[in-house]
Amino acid sequence: MAASTLTEVARLAGVSPATASRVLNGSARKPGKDIADRVRQAAESLGYIPNAQAQGLAKSSSGLIGLIVHDIADPYFAAIARGVQAAAREQRKMVLLATTGGAPGEEREAVAAFAARRADSIVIAGSRSCRTEDRDDNTELAAELDRYCRNGGRVAVVGHPVVGATAPEGYHVVAVPNQELAGALAVELAAGWDGDFVIIGGPEGLLTSDDRIRGFQEGLARAGRAPAEILRTAFNRAGGYDAGLQLAARIKSGASGGGEAAAPKLCIFAVNDVMAIGASAALRAEGLRIPRDATIAGFDDIETLRDFRPALSTVRLPLEEIGRLATRATGRMSGDSDADEDGEQPTVTGEVTLRRSTEAVA
Amino acid sequence: MAASTLTEVARLAGVSPATASRVLNGSARKPGKDIADRVRQAAESLGYIPNAQAQGLAKSSSGLIGLIVHDIADPYFAAIARGVQAAAREQRKMVLLATTGGAPGEEREAVAAFAARRADSIVIAGSRSCRTEDRDDNTELAAELDRYCRNGGRVAVVGHPVVGATAPEGYHVVAVPNQELAGALAVELAAGWDGDFVIIGGPEGLLTSDDRIRGFQEGLARAGRAPAEILRTAFNRAGGYDAGLQLAARIKSGASGGGEAAAPKLCIFAVNDVMAIGASAALRAEGLRIPRDATIAGFDDIETLRDFRPALSTVRLPLEEIGRLATRATGRMSGDSDADEDGEQPTVTGEVTLRRSTEAVA
DNA sequence: CTGGTCTGGGAAAGCGCATTCCCACTACGT
DNA sequence: ACGTAGTGGGAATGCGCTTTCCCAGACCAG
């Protein structure tokens, strides 16, 4: 038994398919009450479910929103996804998920797949990469997005515009003030600590990571401090752990040379919370304590990590809101008035949140 | 400029749409090499992207997998989603996401939406509810799923079958041995602790929660212990926190009455990790220490929570694998031979993992 | 050299729905 | 009374693609 069609419903109700369509799926023309009831009843008794594919084909719009993330199990992306999902629901759309591991090549594929499905809009979360090895893929990604936009698609990117993308109509960027916030974090940390800083960053070329590093260094400079050393590692927990091990060794050797053993030796800034947690775990595994032997701060304020002890100093980012904003940005009708200056990008603000992990020991 | 169509490509290549279709999208018949090349080149130069909607309509199959979760930002579901995503990729399909907050009514809507989009299969994660207030919604959910299956859809449910669902062809259940594992956990805990147990459970009627509670009690009985008291609360971090506050008060008052203050007063079993973390946070906020004043265990072994200190005793569940299995279960071609006994449900095994949070103080 | 089977390409019929156009009919106006 | 605008329903077309079905030519055996 195949799903019943509009035609069957129409026949059962004794009307034409056109009329049935008009009553069942919102149309400008409203058929008469009695007929409408008959159709609705017929639909009910047949368990009619409109074929969204056919509808989409006929109307050329699918009610789909494509979401591209690196990894849906990463709490950072999961939080954004929640926002996207919420906004999608507001627009009565469904979200199509694609995970790419951050590779521009796979992101290009995902965009193509979304385009094939005629997704109404695409939200790209996740850090852009501008490593030279990704150059070509990035170019293709940009071209693919461009084409998608020209065909009427709307896209929103969280963070940075796709490298090399021109800005056609319908291309939105939800800017995240990574640099400013990292700077503010540095300033605040510098106020309570006069020792050395070290940064655990992601691979060079990861824009989000680079921005945060740059911002932090600028903040340090503003506070009259020397730039921090930068450790490059993977942009995840494992990377943080590795870097943590290195730093632990260094701290321990430093302690043997130094005098009092009870003062922190280092203030560590990991460019995201997950890395910070990894680093903390490494320090702990090496017998070091936070904030006694070293202080540490992260970035993002991941919800699941808030109960972590010692409480992690970080920069609060409204992740869910970011997802929602990005999605909404793509949702505006193209004919929307309201002096839509095309720019008018929504603004995201974060907040430096100092907690126990950077409490300077007096 | 609208996206170019197959017909345009065909015209450019000087062949019929039929031929173009055959070369560009897998068909049984392979046109001649020279012609194929010409078509491919035409497609390339036009930047042709097949319209998946039209393809779906024509083939009546969409290449979509619907995933239903309570909340994508919950690490439990995020982990499952990762597995689903991975398996979907194996099958060259995309995943459609729906979040429902666990309400059967919304789940029904999601199933209908998936059915409308002609999703090839649906994976339902998240605890089934059998509260009486959900009775009607559950019935409708079951009916909707039933219809979906009869129309050729395949569905996999993680954990329990949908309440009231008959088991039509194409309906798979990935059983999670919650009860057995909770029992095993209880037994192991009982071996190292001879005081009282208390369970922090979800609302009554949440099948996953109920199973774990029942299993734990059985394990206790097997170990010759009295059943634990059960605290009902919300199935999330906040619920755990609330319950934790109650228990903290109780522990403290008990301590005033009791003798030595340095022995744990209680062994707490929270039915999932997130609740356990919430409870831990509450105890800590009340000045209690784990495992000194109380020991605690969770369930799921959420990855993000593994760096939590004190390390949480829990039951390791292969969440990602579960998502993958569920998805694969729906992927088998209906004509698959291999003595497909229809039953042959994949098996999930977990593992009791005792860590610091339940280390009995000697 | 003819009748037969293959082979590879094209024509055309949908897939299920939205929508434009058209027509019959009613309700007015003067 | 007739004419006109307005209303509500149906026929038909097309969205972009897949897939039979058909046909022309190639190729082989007899």
Side-chain angles (χ1 to χ4, degrees):
Chain A
M1 157 191 161
S4 48
T5 74
L6 223 211
T7 311
E8 292 172 16
V9 172
R11 191 165 27 199
L12 211 189
V15 301
S16 78
T19 304
S21 168
R22 291 196 262 257
V23 19
L24 292 180
N25 312 76
S27 160
R29 288 177 52 174
K30 296 289 167 198
K33 178 100 176 59
D34 49 345
I35 272 204
D37 285 346
R38 223 166 56 221
V39 171
R40 252 185 284 274
Q41 187 179 329
E44 173 72 21
S45 80
L46 264 86
Y48 170 70
I49 296 184
N51 184 326
Q53 307 222 66
Q55 286 189 164
L57 184 53
K59 299 197 288 203
S60 61
S61 110
S62 60
L64 254 28
I65 292 181
L67 170 61
I68 298 181
V69 298
H70 290 186
D71 172 10
I72 191 62
D74 180 323
Y76 172 84
F77 291 111
I80 292 181
R82 181 199 259 164
V84 170
Q85 172 76 40
R89 167 166 303 208
E90 286 172 5
Q91 303 177 18
R92 328 205 98 269
K93 300 192 176 173
M94 301 211 72
V95 0
L96 259 178
L97 187 63
T99 67
T100 64
E106 296 211 35
E107 298 188 324
R108 194 196 64 77
E109 277 180 37
V111 170
F114 288 157
R117 298 229 137 72
R118 297 301 185 264
D120 297 332
S121 46
I122 296 181
V123 174
I124 305 183
S127 181
R128 306 292 82 223
S129 160
C130 66
R131 280 174 294 185
T132 51
E133 65 212 77
D134 287 332
R135 258 261 300 284
D136 294 350
D137 282 337
N138 264 323
T139 307
E140 288 188 41
L141 207 207
E144 197 75 55
L145 278 174
D146 222 56
R147 177 158 62 194
Y148 174 74
C149 284
R150 267 202 309 273
N151 289 346
R154 316 201 145 273
V155 1
V157 184
V158 172
H160 289 84
V162 168
V163 178
T166 76
E169 176 147 17
Y171 186 91
H172 305 255
V173 176
V174 176
V176 178
N178 284 308
Q179 194 168 331
E180 293 82 332
L181 289 169
L185 175 63
V187 169
E188 293 212 27
L189 288 178
W193 159 256
D194 54 14
D196 288 341
F197 288 89
V198 55
I199 300 176
I200 302 181
E204 195 151 7
L206 247 200
L207 262 33
T208 302
S209 169
D210 287 350
D211 280 356
R212 292 177 182 177
I213 293 174
R214 191 176 328 119
F216 197 82
Q217 299 285 38
E218 284 179 7
L220 247 29
R222 231 178 308 146
R225 309 295 281 274
E229 177 191 356
I230 303 171
L231 255 43
R232 297 285 183 176
T233 178
F235 199 61
N236 53 31
R237 192 244 175 217
Y241 193 88
D242 290 345
L245 287 183
Q246 282 185 48
L247 292 178
R250 189 181 309 184
I251 292 170
K252 289 205 236 176
S253 69
S256 67
E260 45 183 345
K265 299 293 172 301
L266 221 45
C267 178
I268 304 169
F269 168 52
V271 293
N272 70 41
D273 277 4
V274 174
M275 293 173 80
I277 294 300
S280 302
L283 293 188
R284 199 165 37 214
E286 292 298 309
L288 265 21
R289 298 271 301 271
I290 295 170
R292 193 193 61 186
D293 302 314
T295 59
I296 187 167
F299 207 109
D300 289 341
D301 198 22
I302 297 296
E303 192 175 334
T304 325
L305 263 22
R306 292 200 192 135
D307 283 316
F308 198 80
R309 286 304 111 125
L312 189 64
S313 290
T314 187
V315 176
R316 194 180 202 326
L317 238 36
L319 263 14
E320 190 175 335
E321 178 74 6
I322 287 174
R324 212 172 316 155
L325 286 175
T327 309
R328 289 215 190 105
T330 67
R332 299 207 194 112
M333 299 307 164
S334 44
D336 231 349
S337 55
D338 212 356
D340 197 325
E341 300 286 342
D342 191 10
E344 207 188 337
Q345 307 294 6
T347 302
V348 171
T349 63
E351 193 182 347
V352 173
T353 308
L354 260 28
R355 298 201 266 240
R356 187 88 207 299
S357 72
T358 54
E359 253 174 36
V361 197
Chain B
M1 157 192 162
S4 49
T5 74
L6 223 212
T7 311
E8 292 171 15
V9 173
R11 189 165 28 198
L12 210 189
V15 300
S16 78
T19 304
S21 168
R22 289 197 263 255
V23 20
L24 293 180
N25 313 76
S27 160
R29 288 177 51 174
K30 295 291 167 197
K33 178 101 178 59
D34 49 344
I35 272 205
D37 286 345
R38 224 167 55 221
V39 171
R40 253 185 285 273
Q41 188 178 330
E44 173 72 20
S45 80
L46 266 81
Y48 170 70
I49 295 184
N51 185 326
Q53 307 225 64
Q55 287 190 158
L57 220 212
K59 300 198 286 204
S60 60
S61 113
S62 59
L64 255 27
I65 292 181
L67 170 62
I68 298 182
V69 298
H70 289 186
D71 173 10
I72 191 61
D74 181 323
Y76 171 85
F77 292 111
I80 292 181
R82 183 199 258 163
V84 170
Q85 173 76 39
R89 167 165 304 207
E90 287 171 6
Q91 304 178 18
R92 328 204 100 270
K93 301 192 176 176
M94 302 209 71
V95 0
L96 259 178
L97 186 64
T99 67
T100 63
E106 296 212 34
E107 298 187 324
R108 194 196 64 77
E109 278 180 35
V111 170
F114 289 156
R117 298 227 135 74
R118 297 300 184 264
D120 297 331
S121 46
I122 295 181
V123 175
I124 306 185
S127 181
R128 307 291 80 226
S129 161
C130 67
R131 281 173 293 184
T132 51
E133 63 212 80
D134 288 331
R135 257 262 302 285
D136 295 350
D137 283 337
N138 266 322
T139 307
E140 289 188 40
L141 207 208
E144 197 76 52
L145 278 174
D146 222 56
R147 177 158 59 194
Y148 174 74
C149 285
R150 267 202 308 273
N151 290 345
R154 314 201 146 275
V155 359
V157 184
V158 171
H160 289 81
V162 168
V163 178
T166 78
E169 177 148 17
Y171 186 93
H172 305 253
V173 175
V174 176
V176 178
N178 284 309
Q179 195 168 329
E180 294 81 331
L181 290 169
L185 174 65
V187 169
E188 294 213 27
L189 289 179
W193 159 256
D194 55 11
D196 288 341
F197 288 89
V198 55
I199 300 176
I200 301 181
E204 195 151 7
L206 247 200
L207 262 32
T208 301
S209 169
D210 287 349
D211 279 356
R212 293 178 181 177
I213 292 173
R214 191 175 329 118
F216 195 83
Q217 299 284 40
E218 284 179 8
L220 248 29
R222 230 178 309 145
R225 309 296 282 274
E229 177 190 356
I230 302 171
L231 254 45
R232 298 286 183 175
T233 176
F235 199 61
N236 53 30
R237 192 244 174 218
Y241 193 88
D242 290 346
L245 287 183
Q246 282 184 47
L247 291 178
R250 188 180 312 183
I251 291 171
K252 287 205 237 176
S253 68
S256 69
E260 45 185 345
K265 299 293 172 301
L266 221 44
C267 177
I268 303 169
F269 168 53
V271 292
N272 71 40
D273 277 4
V274 174
M275 292 172 81
I277 293 300
S280 302
L283 293 189
R284 198 163 37 216
E286 291 297 310
L288 265 21
R289 299 268 301 269
I290 295 170
R292 194 193 61 185
D293 302 313
T295 60
I296 186 166
F299 206 109
D300 289 341
D301 197 22
I302 297 296
E303 192 176 333
T304 324
L305 263 22
R306 293 200 191 134
D307 283 316
F308 196 82
R309 285 306 111 125
L312 189 63
S313 290
T314 187
V315 175
R316 194 178 200 328
L317 238 36
L319 264 11
E320 191 174 335
E321 178 73 7
I322 287 174
R324 213 172 313 151
L325 287 175
T327 308
R328 289 214 191 105
T330 65
R332 298 206 196 114
M333 300 306 165
S334 42
D336 232 347
S337 55
D338 213 356
D340 198 324
E341 300 286 341
D342 192 8
E344 209 190 335
Q345 307 292 6
T347 302
V348 171
T349 63
E351 193 182 349
V352 173
T353 308
L354 260 28
R355 297 199 268 240
R356 185 89 208 299
S357 72
T358 54
E359 254 174 36
V361 198

